[in-house]
Amino acid sequence: MISYLKGVLADIQKPGSHKIIVTLDVNQVGYDMQVPARHLSLLPPLGEVVQLFSHLYFREDQAVLFGFGQRQERDLFRLLISVSGIGPQMALALIDTLGEAELTQAVVSGNTRLLSRTPGVGNKTAERLVLELKTKLQDWQTQSGVGLVPDAGPVPTLYEEVEATLSALGYSQSEILKALQAVGRSSTLQKTADPESWVREAIAWLSQ
């Protein structure tokens, strides 16, 4: 229904229980969105423009809008909540605890012990995740590039996600290109397909 929202970051709230609520001012309308706690460090200062991919979750008493820095993260969230017994808060906890690449790889490889590190996720829930999502995540992993090790530099889908995130943070195309060329020389980054790692390194380089 709402693919993404792009607007001014108006407020950040921490109501407890590891919840992070951000308010985006989009054309003078404020949208409250719950985001993964791990995304907090990637948010720009208040008053700056940010783009968040969204998922509108309905339950009996209210509708909750969830926001994600990358489309891949949002799509992974949707796959997680499709599993019986996995609600949005547990899905966020899984993403926060393991991250996209490690979480995807854990499900594909059937590593229930790693999945069980997430608070609230027991062995039975971990086994259900593997049973219901292993094949789906194998296909999604191949399409998105999450958890795959590229031969050199980011794979195209990864590059596009990093570029979109940096652009949403206000950087120009020339700045983004120079930053990605610079940090792409890192042997550590060349071995990862985690968009957040690329974004963090690019922002650090741009802040020099």
Side-chain angles (χ1 to χ4, degrees):
M1 182 179 179
I2 303 175
S3 179
Y4 67 85
L5 290 172
K6 185 175 183 178
V8 175
L9 183 61
D11 192 24
I12 299 175
Q13 303 174 53
K14 302 175 184 178
S17 301
H18 303 289
K19 284 187 178 180
I20 305 296
I21 308 294
V22 302
T23 302
L24 256 59
D25 183 338
V26 183
N27 296 325
Q28 299 184 334
V29 177
Y31 293 87
D32 285 342
M33 308 176 76
Q34 184 175 345
V35 301
R38 69 197 328 261
H39 188 59
L40 185 60
S41 61
L42 299 177
L43 291 172
L46 293 178
E48 294 194 9
V49 174
V50 65
Q51 175 177 293
L52 294 176
F53 293 91
S54 60
H55 176 80
L56 185 57
Y57 181 83
F58 288 99
R59 50 187 205 191
E60 292 182 3
D61 56 339
Q62 67 181 68
V64 182
L65 198 58
F66 292 91
F68 304 90
Q70 292 87 33
R71 184 185 293 106
Q72 293 173 342
E73 193 174 49
R74 189 269 313 276
D75 293 346
L76 177 58
F77 173 82
R78 286 175 169 172
L79 285 171
L80 291 171
I81 61 175
S82 72
V83 176
S84 175
I86 304 293
Q89 300 307 327
M90 185 175 290
L92 283 184
L94 282 160
I95 292 172
D96 274 329
T97 302
L98 300 176
E100 294 170 63
E102 193 173 14
L103 172 56
T104 302
Q105 193 58 41
V107 174
V108 170
S109 64
N111 192 340
T112 56
R113 180 177 298 182
L114 183 58
L115 293 170
S116 297
R117 289 183 185 177
T118 302
V121 177
N123 288 329
K124 289 185 178 180
T125 301
E127 290 171 358
R128 191 183 309 121
L129 276 167
V130 172
L131 179 64
E132 296 191 28
L133 289 186
K134 184 173 182 177
T135 302
K136 290 181 181 178
L137 281 181
Q138 281 177 328
D139 295 338
W140 179 78
Q141 186 183 44
T142 301
Q143 294 170 6
S144 66
V146 170
L148 300 178
V149 180
D151 293 330
V155 295
T157 54
L158 172 64
Y159 184 92
E160 290 167 5
E161 291 294 340
V162 174
E163 186 180 34
T165 300
L166 292 172
S167 178
L169 294 176
Y171 294 106
S172 68
Q173 286 299 112
S174 61
E175 288 176 324
I176 294 171
L177 179 60
K178 290 177 182 177
L180 291 181
Q181 288 176 338
V183 303
R185 301 188 185 101
S186 166
S187 60
T188 301
L189 278 184
Q190 288 178 6
K191 296 177 181 178
T192 181
D194 177 21
E196 292 186 10
S197 298
W198 281 84
V199 170
R200 282 195 297 268
E201 290 296 325
I203 291 175
W205 187 87
L206 287 164
S207 299
Q208 292 178 357

